Amino acid sequence: MITSTEAAVTNPSTFRIGAIVDETSRIGKEQILAMQMAAKDFQDPANQSLVLDMYITDSKGEPLQAALSAQELVNSSQVKAIVGPCSWEETSLVAQIATKNQIPLLSFADSTPRWARERWPFLIQASSSKSAQMKAIAAIIQSWNWHQVSVITEDVESSTKAVLQLSTALRQVNVQLVDVITLPPSSNPSLLSHQLESLKVRPCRVFVVHLSSSTALAEQLFRTAMDMKMLERDYVWITTHAFTSLLHTFHPSTISAMQGVIGVKGHFRETKPRYQSFSKRFRRRFSSAHPDESNHEPSIFAVEAYDAVWALALSLLRPSNVTGGQEDLLNKLLLCNFNGLVGNVQFTVQKAGSLNTFEVINVIGKSYNGLGLWTDGHGFSENTVGEEETATYFSSMRDIMGHVIWPGRPRYSPKGWTPSPISEPIIIGIPTESIFKQFVDIELDPVQNTISAKGYAIDNFDAAVGDIAIVTNRLPYADFTHPYTESELVMIVPLQSKKVNRAWLFTKPFTGSLWLLIFILNIYNGFVVWMIERDHCLKLRGSIGNQVGVMLSLSFTTLFTFQGLKLHSNLSRMALVVWLFMALAITQTYTANLSSILTVPKLEPAIDNVESIQMRRANIGYLKVTYVAKYLEEVLHFSPKKVKEYTSPEDSMRDLHEGVIAAVFMERPWAKILLARYCTGFTIAKQSFKVGGFGFAFAKGSPWLPYVTEALVKVTESGQLRDLEIDMIASQKCVGNDELLGDSSSEAGYGSSNPSLGADSFWMLFVFTAGTSTLALLMFMYWSEDELYDSSSSVVK
């Protein structure tokens, strides 16, 4: 890095620098003043050994004029270096002249192709590359879930590369570039109206404006758009760096027309003392030189011009090699490395570094508000002043930028598209050969010559498609909505009689907990009766072992015999009546349930999983869906010889019943419909496989996709989709297997997976029985104490 102390060892000399600018443009005016300030600032008391002599020419923004200016600077002014011009069209002609005369050219063109640097080795891109701004714009569009974009740009060569960069950035966030409108640099209002009208009649409402230094064209564009009511609600306008950086120079009428526009512009730290000093002096001198300009703030174009002259001057202070000459100056320029106003200035591979941070602004009122920053590789941040390492970054603009004022000031965020009033009707494709008409059914009315569609897939929407599976090989050709059905591939298998342990079959009517509760309650009731009756019956007395045996016998024999006449106490009779009622209910229920278990067959799937099919080497079937065959062969590893295709659900179920195939594979929604119709003898195996499910297909990049998907999610969450599914299945008439097979050999039901009754079936009866017995016991104990008390009183007397 060159320091000021190195200047003292050089001999005083004058160095001629040529500059090619468009003096009619605001950028040119700023660059002229900035370069003059840089030359004067460099000639401070510490750098008296070098005098920079500036020769400035006007290209008027014309490539041919720029080439003539370069020829004049080389031949007449004998400059040793040239700074400028701004556009690539001018630079490409000037670079050829500069290289031929071995004069370094520090161009302000935004992006220099690699082939140009190889063809013209004396060409150096002095302005930082702004290509990362296209990523920033793509990130903004992604933040608001817009899916289509139109671009308005100039009909110049340099714009082509910028549009390609934007297209690449948009593809990375799944956004489609649908239109590119190119405007001649000198467009008249009628041509602008015609071009904008072609955008207005199309659905896309997100426009990216990429215009270079032509502020006159930009102002005319937005005034025309306002007159055409294209800066109102539902429209989105985003401007790129070159346009946004000059926003502060526009006429108030143009700013008024641009309300709600979003823009990105290159960001550098404006709080550094050196920049603050430069900005203060620049504003003072610019207002004096151009009193007709309303705003005197320097833009990034002035800052880069200032740094370019400093780069030349600092390179001249470097010691020369033995050969010297212009190549020596070029080499010293390429070694340049210093802190300029815009940041670190260093030319790598004949170009300045890339600008990676951009400010996002929103045009409001008479100026604009800064919404935040976007940094390449990091994302959005609120930090507009501090260092990168102290900022907190977010992937979405919505997370940090709060409320944005959109054109027309709507209270909602624009959706980015709108149905065009003159566009063609949306064409919906419906599969006419859907296997299950319950999903989509096509009906032709020969009298009215009309076609109507109905079914589960149609009842979600006024117009829809059918049971289209979401599979990988279709994704390159279409976009799919969120699945509206369960995303599973299942197999329907026959039911078979369930094998049970008949030795313990008598216990099956009740669960283990119910058997335990009956046992405990019988013991308790027997205890209560024994307690009350033991003083009146000699059989209930005796040794402890005898009394326990009698009590247990009393507990269970009561279930089968009625001994009410042998009881002496009304309390024991009360407990026994309720007890016998409970016993009657339990025994009758037990008998009925046991009879059902013995007579009704209990069924289970004949096949549990794929492995059991493969072990048997059995054949399988599937309904005619291309991806299912591929899935069975490539994922589940079935031999193609063992896989049979069916076009009719009835044929597949017939072969399944007759044992031709062991299972038939299909999507779960289809399986539900099939089992609703053939409701006996078949079931869905427990094992299933995740697949894409059914969805609606749209053309790639269709603006309808996110909104149809959103509608599907809302219908699902509201329960309406579930209700439609229930109605669809309920509409199927259960015909069993008789109609399918032409006989009555099918089994008559599925049976219950768990026929045993639990305690919950009798809990109220148990509470009533136990409560009655407890009440009788408490009353007996109370009366016994009274009698004991009366006996004690008599003895005392």
Side-chain angles (χ1 to χ4, degrees):
M1 181 166 306
I2 298 297
T3 62
S4 60
T5 57
E6 297 182 55
V9 299
T10 61
N11 296 321
S13 61
T14 300
F15 188 82
R16 296 185 176 187
I17 302 175
I20 302 175
V21 298
D22 179 7
E23 294 183 6
T24 62
S25 68
R26 172 62 186 247
I27 292 179
K29 295 175 183 178
E30 290 190 13
Q31 288 176 334
I32 292 173
L33 178 56
M35 288 187 289
Q36 292 172 341
M37 291 177 61
K40 184 177 182 301
D41 291 348
F42 191 79
Q43 294 165 9
D44 61 12
N47 290 324
Q48 293 296 327
S49 60
L50 179 64
V51 177
L52 301 179
D53 199 358
M54 299 292 302
Y55 291 82
I56 299 174
T57 60
D58 183 13
S59 70
K60 298 181 174 59
E62 297 292 335
L64 181 58
Q65 184 61 44
L68 295 174
S69 298
Q71 199 71 50
E72 180 184 352
L73 290 172
V74 172
N75 297 331
S76 301
S77 304
Q78 296 183 344
V79 298
K80 300 301 180 182
I82 298 177
V83 180
C86 282
S87 71
W88 171 246
E89 289 73 24
E90 297 174 80
T91 298
S92 61
L93 296 180
V94 176
Q96 188 171 353
I97 298 172
T99 299
K100 179 180 179 181
N101 293 274
Q102 295 189 331
I103 295 177
L105 172 63
L106 279 73
S107 168
F108 295 129
D110 179 49
S111 182
T112 302
R114 180 178 300 177
W115 63 265
R117 298 194 298 270
E118 296 174 354
R119 181 177 179 181
W120 302 310
F122 280 81
L123 172 61
I124 297 176
Q125 180 181 323
S127 64
S128 55
S129 173
K130 314 300 188 305
S131 60
Q133 68 172 318
M134 301 308 176
K135 296 181 182 179
I137 293 173
I140 293 173
I141 294 171
Q142 183 186 30
S143 298
W144 299 98
N145 296 321
W146 299 320
H147 300 276
Q148 289 189 340
V149 172
S150 296
V151 173
I152 302 173
T153 186
E154 288 179 280
D155 189 11
V156 292
E157 183 181 351
S158 57
S159 295
T160 302
K161 184 176 182 180
V163 172
L164 290 176
Q165 291 171 344
L166 177 60
S167 178
T168 301
L170 292 175
R171 281 200 306 270
Q172 293 174 350
V173 294
N174 297 320
V175 177
Q176 185 181 17
L177 180 58
V178 293
D179 290 301
V180 178
I181 301 298
T182 57
L183 304 175
S186 57
S187 297
N188 55 59
S190 61
L191 178 60
L192 281 175
S193 299
H194 176 73
Q195 296 281 45
L196 290 177
E197 185 66 30
S198 67
L199 293 178
K200 188 176 182 180
V201 298
R202 297 179 182 179
C204 179
R205 288 294 180 263
V206 181
F207 305 138
V208 175
V209 179
H210 179 71
L211 301 178
S212 57
S213 58
S214 180
T215 56
L217 176 60
E219 292 182 341
Q220 193 175 30
L221 169 68
F222 278 98
R223 283 197 289 265
T224 304
M226 183 181 68
D227 294 339
M228 296 178 63
K229 301 186 182 301
M230 294 180 68
L231 280 157
E232 298 185 353
R233 293 187 178 188
D234 296 326
Y235 283 91
V236 178
W237 293 79
I238 303 175
T239 59
T240 57
H241 161 81
F243 179 89
T244 310
S245 296
L246 296 174
L247 198 59
H248 62 285
T249 69
F250 286 179
H251 192 273
S253 62
T254 305
I255 296 295
S256 177
M258 294 177 60
Q259 297 296 297
V261 171
I262 298 293
V264 296
K265 67 174 185 174
H267 173 78
F268 59 93
R269 294 188 64 189
E270 300 180 358
T271 58
K272 294 184 294 186
R274 187 182 176 197
Y275 175 81
Q276 292 291 328
S277 173
F278 164 79
S279 178
K280 182 178 180 181
R281 292 183 289 115
F282 182 93
R283 293 195 302 269
R284 184 174 62 251
R285 293 188 58 179
F286 193 84
S287 63
S288 177
H290 305 284
D292 56 318
E293 294 283 351
S294 59
N295 192 292
H296 309 130
E297 292 290 336
S299 67
I300 192 172
F301 304 104
V303 173
E304 289 179 337
Y306 184 94
D307 284 345
V309 174
W310 266 85
L312 266 172
L314 291 176
S315 299
L316 291 170
L317 295 180
R318 282 185 176 274
S320 301
N321 57 25
V322 178
T323 59
Q326 290 298 99
E327 288 189 4
D328 182 55
L329 175 59
L330 176 64
N331 293 330
K332 288 191 291 185
L333 271 171
L334 296 178
L335 294 174
C336 187
N337 186 0
F338 69 98
N339 289 320
L341 295 180
V342 77
N344 183 259
V345 177
Q346 184 178 12
F347 303 120
T348 304
V349 198
Q350 297 176 235
K351 65 176 183 178
S354 298
L355 190 62
N356 294 323
T357 301
F358 294 85
E359 183 179 2
V360 183
I361 62 97
N362 187 198
V363 179
I364 303 174
K366 297 181 179 180
S367 184
Y368 61 84
N369 289 343
L371 298 177
L373 299 180
W374 179 89
T375 303
D376 190 13
H378 295 280
F380 295 96
S381 66
E382 295 178 323
N383 190 2
T384 59
V385 178
E387 299 288 347
E388 273 190 8
E389 55 269 16
T390 63
T392 301
Y393 295 97
F394 301 88
S395 60
S396 174
M397 175 179 170
R398 293 191 180 195
D399 294 333
I400 57 102
M401 298 189 177
H403 183 63
V404 179
I405 301 298
W406 303 106
R409 292 180 175 266
R411 295 183 179 180
Y412 54 86
S413 300
K415 60 183 179 180
W417 71 282
T418 184
S420 176
I422 65 172
S423 60
E424 295 181 356
I426 299 173
I427 300 175
I428 301 296
I430 302 176
T432 58
E433 296 183 357
S434 177
I435 295 178
F436 287 90
K437 302 301 182 182
Q438 293 80 2
F439 278 91
V440 56
D441 189 15
I442 306 300
E443 293 183 354
L444 175 65
D445 187 346
V447 178
Q448 300 292 333
N449 194 27
T450 59
I451 296 176
S452 62
K454 63 181 181 179
Y456 175 74
I458 299 301
D459 296 337
N460 291 290
F461 303 94
D462 292 331
V465 292
D467 43 351
I468 296 180
I470 303 174
V471 292
T472 305
N473 61 353
R474 292 174 178 172
L475 295 179
Y477 310 104
D479 289 333
F480 289 88
T481 63
H482 183 278
Y484 65 86
T485 62
E486 296 170 277
S487 306
E488 286 183 319
L489 182 68
V490 300
M491 52 183 177
I492 295 181
V493 297
L495 285 167
Q496 66 180 10
S497 298
K498 187 176 181 180
K499 298 178 180 179
V500 295
N501 186 353
R502 304 188 70 86
W504 293 94
L505 191 62
F506 69 93
T507 64
K508 292 298 181 180
F510 295 155
T511 61
S513 59
L514 181 56
W515 281 118
L516 179 62
L517 191 59
I518 293 173
F519 177 80
I520 294 173
L521 197 58
N522 275 317
I523 295 296
Y524 178 70
N525 286 334
F527 168 76
V528 171
V529 173
W530 170 80
M531 189 71 179
I532 297 173
E533 293 292 329
R534 65 174 182 170
D535 292 336
H536 305 284
C537 182
L538 295 179
K539 294 181 180 180
L540 299 180
R541 300 178 183 178
S543 63
I544 295 178
N546 180 66
Q547 293 188 54
V548 170
V550 172
M551 184 185 68
L552 291 176
S553 174
L554 184 64
S555 299
F556 292 99
T557 55
T558 309
L559 293 173
F560 309 104
T561 60
F562 181 71
Q563 300 179 5
L565 297 176
K566 299 180 180 180
L567 298 179
H568 299 80
S569 173
N570 288 331
L571 293 177
S572 58
R573 294 189 184 100
M574 179 181 69
L576 186 61
V577 168
V578 178
W579 186 10
L580 288 175
F581 177 75
M582 181 200 75
L584 179 63
I586 289 176
T587 53
Q588 293 298 321
T589 303
Y590 174 84
T591 303
N593 201 18
L594 182 59
S595 299
S596 174
I597 293 174
L598 292 174
T599 57
V600 178
K602 300 303 176 287
L603 306 175
E604 64 180 359
I607 294 173
D608 294 327
N609 49 55
V610 167
E611 290 75 14
S612 60
I613 300 177
Q614 293 171 335
M615 290 179 62
R616 300 179 187 179
R617 297 183 179 180
N619 295 326
I620 60 171
Y622 72 95
L623 293 184
K624 187 179 179 181
V625 180
T626 306
Y627 88 91
V628 175
K630 184 177 180 181
Y631 190 90
L632 293 175
E633 296 172 10
E634 297 182 2
V635 180
L636 301 183
H637 307 294
F638 280 102
S639 171
K641 298 179 180 179
K642 297 291 184 179
V643 179
K644 184 177 181 181
E645 179 183 277
Y646 291 92
T647 58
S648 167
E650 290 77 11
D651 292 343
S652 67
M653 299 303 285
R654 183 179 294 108
D655 284 356
L656 183 62
H657 178 79
E658 295 176 353
V660 177
I661 56 176
V664 57
F665 288 80
M666 64 186 70
E667 295 266 7
R668 184 176 289 275
W670 286 355
K672 288 183 176 180
I673 295 176
L674 210 53
L675 290 181
R677 181 172 178 82
Y678 305 109
C679 53
T680 61
F682 306 102
T683 189
I684 297 177
K686 292 182 179 180
Q687 188 180 30
S688 62
F689 309 93
K690 280 291 181 181
V691 291
F694 292 157
F696 299 144
F698 287 86
K700 296 290 288 186
S702 170
W704 293 95
L705 179 65
Y707 304 100
V708 175
T709 298
E710 181 182 356
L712 275 175
V713 173
K714 290 181 179 179
V715 170
T716 302
E717 292 179 349
S718 67
Q720 296 179 33
L721 202 62
R722 176 62 178 168
D723 294 339
L724 288 172
E725 180 182 335
I726 293 173
D727 293 342
M728 176 185 66
I729 296 175
S731 65
Q732 299 301 300
K733 179 182 178 182
C734 178
V735 297
N737 295 347
D738 294 354
E739 181 179 299
L740 175 67
L741 304 170
D743 57 36
S744 57
S745 61
S746 63
E747 293 165 314
Y750 288 100
S752 174
S753 60
N754 183 16
S756 303
L757 298 175
D760 56 337
S761 303
F762 300 96
W763 71 272
M764 195 64 194
L765 183 60
F766 288 160
V767 169
F768 181 63
T769 302
T772 303
S773 298
T774 302
L775 179 63
L777 180 62
L778 292 175
M779 294 176 65
F780 168 75
M781 295 176 64
Y782 176 77
W783 287 341
S784 296
E785 289 182 359
D786 284 349
E787 291 176 0
L788 180 61
Y789 177 77
D790 292 341
S791 301
S792 300
S793 299
S794 300
V795 171
V796 171
K797 290 180 180 180

